[in-house]
Amino acid sequence: EAGVVQSPRYKIIEKKQPVAFWCNPISGHNTLYWYLQNLGQGPELLIRYENEEAVDDSQLPKDRFSAERLKGVDSTLKIQPAELGDSAVYLCASSAGTSGHNEQFFGPGTRLTVL
Amino acid sequence: QKEVEQNSGPLSVPEGAIASLNCTYSDRGSQSFFWYRQYSGKSPELIMFIYSNGDKEDGRFTAQLNKASQYVSLLIRDSQPSDSATYLCAVGRGGGYNKLIFGAGTRLAVHP
C-alpha cells in the first residue's frame, strides 16, 4: 500500500514569492491534515479536511495561507506571499477516520526555505 | 505552560539499557495518547498508542499512562543504536475528533 505522497520534497524561494505544496493521501483515507513543523518542535495542525470540507482551519493564517481539497482526494496548501518565518517542514497526514482510534499516517514532508 | 511537555534531551543511554521517555499534558479531558518516532529528516511514524490507565506492551516498547497525574511514558527495553531518534508524545482531545497536540520531542541517543 502506497503511503502519503508529498511534493516537492524541498523548496527554496525568495520572500514575498508564492509557493504551493501538494499532497496525495493514502487511498481510502477521507481525513487529511496539514501540519507545520519548525526545527526542534512537534508538528502543529494547520488545517484538517473531512473529504472535501475544511472542518478545522482555526490555526491556518488565512491572510497568506490557503488550502483546498478538490474532489476529496488530493490537497494543495499555498502560501502567498511567503515570509522568512514560514521556513519550516510542511507535513501532510491522512487517516481513515477522526476518532481517537484512527492512526494518522504522515507523508515525507516538504522542507521550505524562504530567503 | 505548554499543553504537552517533554524533556528535549538528549537522553543518552548505552546499548542494551532501558530508555525511559516522559511526557506530561495539561488537558484533563485528553483521552488518547500516542508515541511517534521521528528520525532526523524523516516524518513521524507511530510506535504506540494508549487509551487506558496502566501499561501497554508491544515488543521492546511499553507505554504507561497515569491520567490522575497527567503523565504518559514510553519505555524502550534493550535499546539499540537504531532507536536513536526523536520521540514525540501526542495527546488527543477526543470528542469524536482526534486532534493531536504534539510535544516538542525528546531526542534519544543510544551509544554502542
Side-chain angles (χ1 to χ4, degrees):
Chain A
E1 178 183 271
V4 177
V5 179
Q6 290 188 248
S7 69
R9 293 294 313 279
Y10 305 91
K11 190 72 176 180
I12 301 174
I13 60 171
E14 301 273 338
K15 64 180 180 181
K16 301 185 181 180
Q17 294 300 304
V19 64
F21 314 124
W22 176 81
C23 173
N24 181 251
I26 292 173
S27 178
H29 281 191
N30 59 341
T31 306
L32 183 146
Y33 312 77
W34 281 104
Y35 287 90
L36 177 153
Q37 186 173 24
N38 285 304
L39 187 65
Q41 300 297 315
E44 299 172 42
L45 182 70
L46 290 173
I47 189 169
R48 173 178 71 98
Y49 280 93
E50 288 296 329
N51 299 304
E52 66 275 10
E53 183 181 2
V55 295
D56 183 356
D57 61 356
S58 57
Q59 299 297 106
L60 190 71
K62 298 180 182 64
D63 57 336
R64 297 184 300 107
F65 286 65
S66 64
E68 61 182 11
R69 192 185 184 195
L70 301 176
K71 301 181 180 179
V73 181
D74 295 2
S75 177
T76 302
L77 178 68
K78 298 178 181 178
I79 308 174
Q80 182 171 11
E83 297 179 352
L84 295 176
D86 296 331
S87 296
V89 176
Y90 292 81
L91 293 163
C92 179
S94 70
S95 66
T98 58
S99 75
H101 299 251
N102 283 292
E103 176 182 354
Q104 294 185 26
F105 295 84
F106 285 85
T110 296
R111 183 177 297 275
L112 174 67
T113 301
V114 182
L115 303 176
Chain B
Q1 180 189 15
K2 293 183 179 179
E3 294 184 68
V4 179
E5 297 212 45
Q6 296 181 255
N7 188 315
S8 62
L11 174 65
S12 182
V13 301
E15 185 174 355
I18 296 176
S20 178
L21 304 161
N22 306 315
C23 171
T24 58
Y25 59 94
S26 60
D27 186 350
R28 283 197 171 273
S30 299
Q31 298 180 20
S32 54
F33 307 86
F34 302 80
W35 282 100
Y36 281 81
R37 177 176 62 198
Q38 187 171 28
Y39 292 112
S40 181
K42 303 295 185 181
S43 58
E45 57 178 332
L46 184 67
I47 299 174
M48 290 192 69
F49 57 84
I50 186 167
Y51 304 119
S52 304
N53 278 327
D55 295 359
K56 179 181 178 182
E57 187 174 319
D58 184 1
R60 295 187 296 113
F61 299 95
T62 299
Q64 300 175 317
L65 175 62
N66 184 326
K67 290 185 178 179
S69 300
Q70 295 174 244
Y71 177 93
V72 59
S73 66
L74 179 70
L75 301 178
I76 306 175
R77 290 181 299 280
D78 188 24
S79 295
Q80 300 297 310
S82 59
D83 294 326
S84 298
T86 295
Y87 289 79
L88 298 165
C89 172
V91 175
R93 293 181 159 180
Y97 164 35
N98 195 27
K99 177 175 182 175
L100 296 185
I101 306 298
F102 284 83
T106 297
R107 190 155 59 90
L108 173 67
V110 181
H111 54 85

